Amino acid sequence: MTEYLIRRVLQSVLVIFLITILTFLLIHAAPGGPTQVMLSPGLTPEIFEQQAKNLGLDQPIPVQYVRWIGDLLQGDLGYTFKNHIAVSDLLWPRIGNTVILMGAAWLVSLLIAIPWGIYNSTKVYGLSDQTASFISYLGFAMPTFWFGILLQQWLSLKLDWFPLSDMYTRGKEGDIGDLFMHLVLPITVLALGFLASYMKYARASMLEVLDQDYIRTARAKGVKERKVVFRHALRNALIPIITILGLDLPILVGGAALTENVFNWPGMGRWFVEMAGAREYSALMAVTIVTAVIVVIGNLLADILYAVVDPRVKLGKQGGKTA
Amino acid sequence: MAKKRKWWSSLLVVSLVGVLFTGCSTNNTASSPTNAPAATAAPAESTAPDATEAPAADAPVDGGTLVTSTFSDIVNLNPLLINDTSSGDVAQFVFAKLYNLDREGNVQAEDWSLAAELPEISEDGLTYTVKLKDTPKWSDGQPITADDVIYTIETGKNPETGSPLISQYDKVKTVEKIDDHTVKFTLSQIYAPFLYALVQEIVPAHILKDVKPTEIQTNAYGTDPAKTVTSGPWKWTAWKQGESHTLDADPNYWGTVKPHIAQIVYKIYADQNTEVQAIMKGDTDHISAIPVTQVEAVKADGDIDIIQKPGAQYEYVMFNFDGKNFPDNYGLFAGQKTRQAIAHALNRQGMVDNILKGVGALMNAPFLPDTWADPGEAAVNYDYNAETAKKLLAEDGWVADPKDGILVKDGHRFSFELQYNAGNSRREQVAAVIQQNLKDVGIEVTPKAIDFAAWIDQNVTPGKFQALLLAWSLNTPDPDAESIFSSKYFPPAGQNSGWYKNEKLDQLWVDGYSTVDQAERKEIYKEVGKEISTDLPYVFLYQYGQAIGTGPRVHWAEEDAPEPSLGYGQFFHAIKWWVTD
């Protein structure tokens, strides 16, 4: 197991290194740069060239890359070009904000989706199953930003039950109750989206398992239905669900740009889009690194949980499973 | 705020003390008077202890917080580097300028200006002597002196700094200290717009003098509130990146006129739609730009004052005169009559009425309507007339292809790409109208939206496009526009991106700034207007504006109301505004 982990980590480091090179090349290939902002009469391109030079952006790309990776190895994520603010000062608070929002939405949706999906798999096409299907369709079909605006119009502007946007009311920063009130609407929007897919997964993978021979055997032996579902079927049904959850882990830090925009949530998704528009190379690279690390961790976690859930899977030498 | 209750309480207040509020509606320029009392109805539901039992609302009150908003964060507050609207917005509150503009756009030494009186301009128009007040202080208590002014100008015009101010000060030959409060500028040539270049924030020499010009950009001054010494009525207390700025009234502010508002919060929203929702909710009190599509919804809300007037910006279609951008090097826009035909073919008034919802004014020259340089009748006005357009095109040798009706000349089809920046819904609509209008006269237009940063870098700056749709925001009221129309300023170093060359105009622009006599200049710009509107490097479309919205908590006397025609005019005289809770 340890040997397996070490091998996986080394592989991952190599992959991440290659990703950084590729991303660095890609974002520098995009036209424009961090210094160009506004057009006004008299602002000649020479001014912006001089600014780029003052920021070291006139250096060849390989030189810039080496400089960046050198800083990174010393734990320094660099500075924004536009205003020389440490990227780490910008990144970590946003990751925190996004984890709060996405984590809460994710938990809410899992707590509803998985039990409900399992329940529906035992009563296919019942009323509950039909309702769940309908909600899933809504979740898939409704554009999040549109649904978000709808909720704002109705529950905030009209009824005044919830705050319109932001993370905290001005002057109440850090107040948990206030944060909770601000979370309700965006979580509703995000959870509906997650709910739709997780419910489908849970139901489908349960149905697949319930169709297996050993389940039929169990039932034939006269095992109670409850025990069949929870003891025999569920453990096997969870395996694909865990895979999906592991692969979805990056969502937690990636954020959801559109929802964050509508609810003015100071999170990663929105920031990333903003930084891409502004060609803030260091910030974009920082996001890339963090996301890549999370993806790798997510995959690793999924594999380890596999072994926990499914005794047939052995990690390491004997097992056939490597990344 | 609960709307219903609000409505009741307003009604109540109206019935009780309706008479008192006559003075209040002076600040409501664009809405029904019913919302004026609503502002004072707030105490009914606010918990603020200072809920002044409605003093006659025309008497300013001190204290309170004004929340204003924007949809992009600042870049840098260092006046040497300010080049985006958000940084400019915040600078209005925290920095004093040498001179300020009055509502008509004239340079003045106001109570809150650093200068004591208007500059003394020598007979030959080459030297400007500026006298500073002896009271101004930086927020750290140091006096603001001639040294600060000299440092600002010299660093701004130093090419190594990369400062946008270089274009304002490149004609300054020397700037000398006469005494601690007197500065003498000597220009290398007569340059009339220089007066407006003195409407400028100053930076503290005692903080920055040892910083290399190439390192100004990476210096903490301008990006770290704790290290940014300011000179205005409010100081920069805090910046939560991407979220908000907090500006607090500076207790040591040197000016004789003190601000009423104790704190300004400058909030950053993700986009304009979110911002509009927030002002309707009451989360923000002031918004600089309501998208035209939303103005009606905000008006229906009833609580929000809307000031709508065209501002200091105009939209245009630029032709590219460099044949290299066309198949077989055949410049489609070479014929003057062809360009005039295009001007006739475009339904500019229709754009103003339908897309700008009436808030815009047609332009025929690069001078804003109703300013002193507006050539008025002297400029050729192109009415919307497809028949005239077709006639002119035929005279210029264009013949319709019998197959599809597209015009052809010398074997070249009249078909071009019109570029604009993606995400600008106004331009998207205008481009569609242009496409349709020109299709009606046999010209095929392909609108193309491109990401802004990429577009500027790949097309606009190097002058590589066929035609484009863009706007100029004029940051000074001076009519000089040599840097965008003169052949001295071809790409890539200059901003004449369409490679337009007209020797007569080149000379007229120089004449225009080579005298400080306004009457003389007016005549020259009339001549410019006539020539440029005949020759058409651009089709000038219209001056347009942003609707400014303010919530019921914000008040001002009539002479201090926002002025959309000025740059940053949405905060005009904010030092005299007050808020009620």
Side-chain angles (χ1 to χ4, degrees):
Chain A
M1 182 77 181
T2 324
E3 194 192 331
Y4 165 79
L5 275 180
I6 292 170
R7 205 170 59 222
R8 276 290 296 262
V9 168
L10 288 177
Q11 270 176 350
S12 309
V13 170
L14 182 69
V15 168
I16 290 174
F17 173 69
L18 292 173
I19 288 175
T20 61
I21 292 187
L22 189 67
T23 316
F24 202 87
L25 288 174
L26 277 174
I27 58 180
H28 280 268
T35 54
Q36 283 235 291
V37 255
M38 221 164 102
L39 281 173
S40 295
L43 294 182
T44 61
E46 282 168 321
I47 296 169
F48 302 112
E49 266 166 46
Q50 179 66 41
Q51 291 191 353
K53 195 171 150 200
N54 292 352
L55 299 171
L57 286 163
D58 57 338
Q59 300 289 326
I61 307 261
V63 174
Q64 289 188 47
Y65 177 78
V66 168
R67 197 180 291 169
W68 175 80
I69 198 109
D71 288 345
L72 182 75
L73 293 174
Q74 295 164 35
D76 179 358
L77 286 169
Y79 294 85
T80 59
F81 289 98
K82 273 204 169 74
N83 40 30
H84 204 71
I85 290 171
V87 169
S88 54
D89 290 350
L90 298 168
L91 179 78
W92 302 117
R94 274 168 187 73
I95 287 189
N97 297 345
T98 283
V99 166
I100 290 174
L101 176 67
M102 300 305 276
W106 214 46
L107 271 178
V108 167
S109 61
L110 286 182
L111 290 176
I112 299 172
I114 291 180
W116 199 7
I118 289 166
Y119 175 79
N120 289 342
S121 69
T122 61
K123 299 204 172 22
V124 183
Y125 302 124
L127 181 63
S128 155
D129 194 23
Q130 298 276 21
T131 313
S133 273
F134 178 72
I135 288 177
S136 297
Y137 281 131
L138 276 187
F140 280 127
M142 244 190 319
T144 47
F145 67 93
W146 182 77
F147 183 45
I149 291 171
L150 213 65
L151 288 181
Q152 284 177 323
Q153 293 287 349
W154 176 44
L155 294 172
S156 175
L157 285 170
K158 206 176 167 123
L159 296 174
D160 203 26
W161 290 358
F162 297 105
L164 179 79
S165 54
D166 300 337
M167 202 163 156
Y168 294 106
T169 307
R170 203 163 40 82
K172 287 196 182 174
E173 287 79 5
D175 178 324
I176 298 292
D178 187 58
L179 175 65
F180 177 79
M181 289 305 279
H182 280 90
L183 274 167
V184 175
L185 296 187
I187 282 184
T188 310
V189 171
L190 291 167
L192 187 75
F194 291 144
L195 196 72
S197 53
Y198 291 148
M199 203 150 54
K200 289 259 180 237
Y201 283 130
R203 178 178 177 270
S205 79
M206 264 312 265
L207 280 176
E208 199 178 334
V209 172
L210 287 173
D211 223 20
Q212 304 273 343
D213 288 347
Y214 68 89
I215 299 286
R216 198 167 329 131
T217 311
R219 281 180 181 151
K221 282 197 313 192
V223 180
K224 282 204 176 65
E225 187 60 19
R226 169 181 276 279
K227 205 166 170 187
V228 170
V229 171
F230 284 95
R231 189 68 168 278
H232 297 268
L234 188 58
R235 275 186 74 167
N236 286 309
L238 280 177
I239 296 169
I241 297 174
I242 285 170
T243 315
I244 301 285
L245 294 186
L247 293 177
D248 273 355
L249 201 61
I251 293 179
L252 287 187
V253 290
L258 284 174
T259 309
E260 286 173 10
N261 271 358
V262 169
F263 291 100
N264 205 43
W265 194 270
M268 277 283 276
R270 183 179 143 194
W271 186 62
F272 184 72
V273 171
E274 202 183 314
M275 292 293 119
R279 304 284 189 274
E280 281 290 2
Y281 303 132
S282 306
L284 296 174
M285 289 307 295
V287 176
T288 306
I289 287 277
V290 170
T291 318
V293 168
I294 302 272
V295 168
V296 166
I297 291 175
N299 284 342
L300 196 59
L301 274 181
D303 284 351
I304 292 171
L305 281 173
Y306 250 58
V308 174
V309 178
D310 185 349
R312 290 166 303 179
V313 175
K314 290 273 184 296
L315 299 178
K317 274 218 178 82
Q318 304 84 344
K321 272 204 58 69
T322 46
Chain B
M1 292 201 205
K3 278 264 276 305
K4 252 210 177 95
R5 203 171 34 170
K6 187 148 191 202
W7 183 80
W8 276 112
S9 50
S10 338
L11 207 72
L12 196 73
V13 176
V14 173
S15 55
L16 288 176
V17 284
V19 201
L20 276 179
F21 299 107
T22 43
C24 187
S25 47
T26 53
N27 63 16
N28 295 325
T29 46
S31 57
S32 60
T34 49
N35 76 5
T40 43
E45 54 207 51
S46 94
T47 50
D50 64 342
T52 39
E53 271 312 313
D58 48 0
V61 249
D62 286 356
T65 299
L66 169 80
V67 184
T68 177
S69 62
T70 177
F71 52 93
S72 63
D73 205 345
I74 68 153
V75 174
N76 194 320
L77 277 196
N78 182 340
L80 288 167
L81 297 170
I82 289 176
N83 184 32
D84 66 289
T85 42
S86 299
S87 309
D89 281 351
V90 177
Q92 305 307 307
F93 301 113
V94 300
F95 285 108
K97 298 185 175 86
L98 265 185
Y99 291 97
N100 290 80
L101 294 175
D102 64 14
R103 191 175 293 282
E104 284 69 45
N106 303 311
V107 174
Q108 301 289 6
E110 303 276 14
D111 292 333
W112 44 85
S113 309
L114 297 168
E117 58 199 49
L118 284 175
E120 209 177 294
I121 305 175
S122 63
E123 276 300 300
D124 61 5
L126 288 174
T127 61
Y128 290 62
T129 309
V130 174
K131 279 203 170 43
L132 302 176
K133 293 184 180 119
D134 47 18
T135 47
K137 288 197 312 253
W138 293 106
S139 53
D140 64 359
Q142 295 286 325
I144 301 178
T145 65
D147 295 330
D148 297 310
V149 177
I150 292 167
Y151 172 82
T152 305
I153 308 305
E154 285 183 341
T155 316
K157 65 183 281 238
N158 181 343
E160 286 192 332
T161 312
S163 166
L165 298 184
I166 194 167
S167 60
Q168 292 187 51
Y169 299 124
D170 58 357
K171 297 189 175 65
V172 175
K173 195 163 69 182
T174 57
V175 46
E176 309 156 78
K177 178 173 172 175
I178 304 295
D179 60 44
D180 270 357
H181 298 288
T182 316
V183 183
K184 185 170 141 198
F185 295 88
T186 308
L187 306 188
S188 52
Q189 62 187 90
I190 297 182
Y191 187 60
F194 183 70
L195 185 60
Y196 293 103
L198 296 173
V199 178
Q200 174 63 43
E201 298 90 351
I202 298 302
V203 294
H206 67 282
I207 303 282
L208 287 168
K209 63 178 188 300
D210 299 329
V211 179
K212 283 201 202 104
T214 51
E215 288 169 7
I216 294 275
Q217 259 180 292
T218 47
N219 189 280
Y221 185 86
T223 56
D224 180 349
K227 297 195 172 125
T228 307
V229 170
T230 54
S231 55
W234 292 271
K235 54 186 204 276
W236 191 27
T237 316
W239 177 16
K240 278 189 86 175
Q241 278 97 4
E243 294 181 56
S244 67
H245 296 261
T246 308
L247 319 173
D248 288 306
D250 185 348
N252 306 319
Y253 174 57
W254 54 269
T256 45
V257 175
K258 305 286 183 197
H260 295 298
I261 296 172
Q263 186 181 64
I264 292 171
V265 173
Y266 187 70
K267 266 191 80 161
I268 295 120
Y269 282 94
D271 55 43
Q272 284 180 301
N273 298 335
T274 322
E275 231 190 321
V276 169
Q277 300 247 59
I279 196 165
M280 286 163 79
K281 177 80 183 171
D283 289 355
T284 164
D285 303 312
H286 180 284
I287 166 174
S288 301
I290 303 171
V292 277
T293 46
Q294 307 243 23
V295 170
E296 287 312 310
V298 177
K299 275 185 184 157
D301 184 78
D303 265 349
I304 317 290
D305 254 353
I306 296 183
I307 299 179
Q308 257 182 306
K309 206 169 117 176
Q313 56 216 346
Y314 68 91
E315 208 129 45
Y316 56 85
V317 174
M318 189 195 294
F319 298 117
N320 199 321
F321 292 87
D322 182 6
K324 283 204 291 294
N325 295 290
F326 299 88
D328 313 326
N329 284 343
Y330 188 84
L332 292 171
F333 305 117
Q336 194 188 70
K337 280 188 175 166
T338 298
R339 300 194 297 276
Q340 292 172 344
I342 289 175
H344 273 299
L346 297 183
N347 184 359
R348 298 182 299 153
Q349 193 58 51
M351 295 172 193
V352 170
D353 294 344
N354 301 317
I355 298 168
L356 305 182
K357 305 283 188 256
V359 186
L362 294 191
M363 286 177 54
N364 300 305
F367 310 116
L368 296 176
D370 305 324
T371 54
W372 63 263
D374 178 11
E377 298 292 303
V380 185
N381 180 43
Y382 295 87
D383 60 321
Y384 170 49
N385 190 327
E387 292 316 306
T388 316
K390 284 180 185 161
K391 198 167 112 282
L392 283 164
L393 286 163
E395 284 171 23
D396 218 13
W398 292 96
V399 183
D401 183 334
K403 276 209 300 293
D404 54 6
I406 300 294
L407 297 171
V408 180
K409 182 178 170 184
D410 306 333
H412 298 279
R413 284 166 59 84
F414 206 152
S415 166
F416 66 90
E417 183 183 75
L418 177 70
Q419 299 180 346
Y420 62 96
N421 54 310
N424 184 319
S425 58
R426 183 186 63 249
R427 272 176 213 150
E428 194 178 337
Q429 295 177 54
V430 172
V433 172
I434 292 173
Q435 182 184 24
Q436 186 55 52
N437 285 166
L438 293 184
K439 195 177 156 199
D440 294 343
V441 298
I443 301 171
E444 185 177 59
V445 181
T446 314
K448 187 172 181 200
I450 309 172
D451 162 73
F452 190 76
W455 185 45
I456 299 301
D457 188 61
Q458 310 266 289
N459 306 101
V460 182
T461 299
K464 290 180 178 160
F465 56 90
Q466 296 180 337
L468 54 79
L469 176 61
L470 191 55
W472 286 118
S473 311
L474 305 175
N475 35 20
T476 101
D478 195 273
D480 173 46
E482 184 191 37
S483 67
I484 52 183
F485 292 111
S486 168
S487 58
K488 275 193 248 178
Y489 294 97
F490 277 165
Q495 290 175 294
N496 178 355
S497 306
W499 307 86
Y500 175 66
K501 189 168 169 54
N502 177 326
E503 280 167 14
K504 182 177 171 189
L505 274 174
D506 285 0
Q507 187 53 49
L508 281 171
W509 288 118
V510 177
D511 298 345
Y513 60 66
S514 300
T515 169
V516 285
D517 179 317
Q518 191 157 311
E520 242 176 283
R521 294 186 79 198
K522 196 175 158 67
E523 282 311 303
I524 296 165
Y525 290 121
K526 204 179 248 179
E527 196 54 35
V528 169
K530 199 168 125 191
E531 178 64 26
I532 208 165
S533 62
T534 307
D535 203 36
L536 295 181
Y538 297 177
V539 174
F540 298 96
L541 298 175
Y542 43 75
Q543 175 194 19
Y544 64 101
Q546 309 281 19
I548 299 168
T550 48
R553 298 177 57 245
V554 191
H555 309 271
W556 48 71
E558 198 166 0
E559 66 269 19
D560 304 317
E563 178 51 57
S565 65
L566 298 174
Y568 301 110
Q570 72 272 34
F571 301 124
F572 188 71
H573 288 192
I575 192 169
K576 293 187 172 181
W577 298 0
W578 68 97
V579 289
T580 47
D581 280 314

